[in-house]
């Protein structure tokens, strides 16, 4: 039970943090929607994601693990379909510059928003699962 609660809190924090960092991932309805989305995302990660990883294992082996991000994007897509108050939309990236490194500004489509959001959620959850162990 404590493990499931830990997964829930980490997924809840990941969704909240990602919605702050990537403006294309948003939620309407306030904290109750976020709590519901955290619960649904936890169930998706504990039940559906292992099945998706098994189904996509041949493609993952063929691409040497590069295809693993697709499972995370699919989990995020299922979350937006189950919880209608979670939205993946396009947004404008203002650009980033520092230390001689420059990322130009531009519009990010909803497809790339899903990929970026799944990447940020994956980093957040992996770091905090590692920290919890």
């Amino acid at each position: 039970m404590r493990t499931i609660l830990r997964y829930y809190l980490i997924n809840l924090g990941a969704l909240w943090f990602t919605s702050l960092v990537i403006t294309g991932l948003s939620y309407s309805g306030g904290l109750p929607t976020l709590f519901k989305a955290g619960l649904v995302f936890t169930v998706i990660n504990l039940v559906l994601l292992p099945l998706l990883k098994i189904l996509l294992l041949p493609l993952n082996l063929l691409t040497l693990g590069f295809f693993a991000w697709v499972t995370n994007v699919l989990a995020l897509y299922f979350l937006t379909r189950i919880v209608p108050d979670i939205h993946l939309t396009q947004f404008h990236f203002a650009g980033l510059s520092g230390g001689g490194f420059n990322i130009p500004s531009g519009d990010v489509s909803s497809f790339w928003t899903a990929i970026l959001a799944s990447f940020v959620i994956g980093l957040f959850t992996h770091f905090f699962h590692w920290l919890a162990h």
Side-chain angles (χ1 to χ4, degrees):
M1 188 66 173
R2 285 179 23 179
T3 303
I4 294 173
L5 181 63
R6 183 176 358 153
Y7 272 89
Y8 172 70
L9 291 175
I10 290 173
N11 285 328
L12 180 67
L15 288 172
W16 174 76
F17 178 76
T18 306
S19 69
L20 290 178
V21 173
I22 298 176
T23 57
L25 177 69
S26 61
Y27 58 93
S28 58
L31 286 178
T33 299
L34 192 60
F35 289 138
K36 183 173 130 183
L39 181 65
V40 170
F41 199 56
T42 300
V43 170
I44 288 172
N45 280 330
L46 291 177
V47 176
L48 191 62
L49 207 59
L51 295 174
L52 282 173
K53 286 182 180 181
I54 290 171
L55 287 173
L56 296 175
L57 182 64
L59 288 173
N60 200 11
L61 290 174
L62 193 63
T63 60
L64 301 174
F66 184 71
F67 206 71
W69 62 269
V70 172
T71 58
N72 294 330
V73 172
L74 285 174
L76 191 60
Y77 173 76
F78 289 140
L79 175 68
T80 60
R81 293 293 154 223
I82 295 171
V83 181
D85 292 334
I86 300 289
H87 309 286
L88 281 172
T89 58
Q90 63 182 3
F91 69 99
H92 180 75
F93 178 66
L96 186 64
S97 178
F101 188 70
N102 186 21
I103 300 175
S105 64
D107 292 325
V108 180
S109 69
S110 59
F111 172 75
W112 287 106
T113 301
I115 291 175
L116 289 172
S118 69
F119 180 72
V120 171
I121 289 171
L123 282 176
F124 188 95
T125 56
H126 287 330
F127 175 73
F128 280 97
H129 282 298
W130 171 79
L131 198 62
H133 286 347

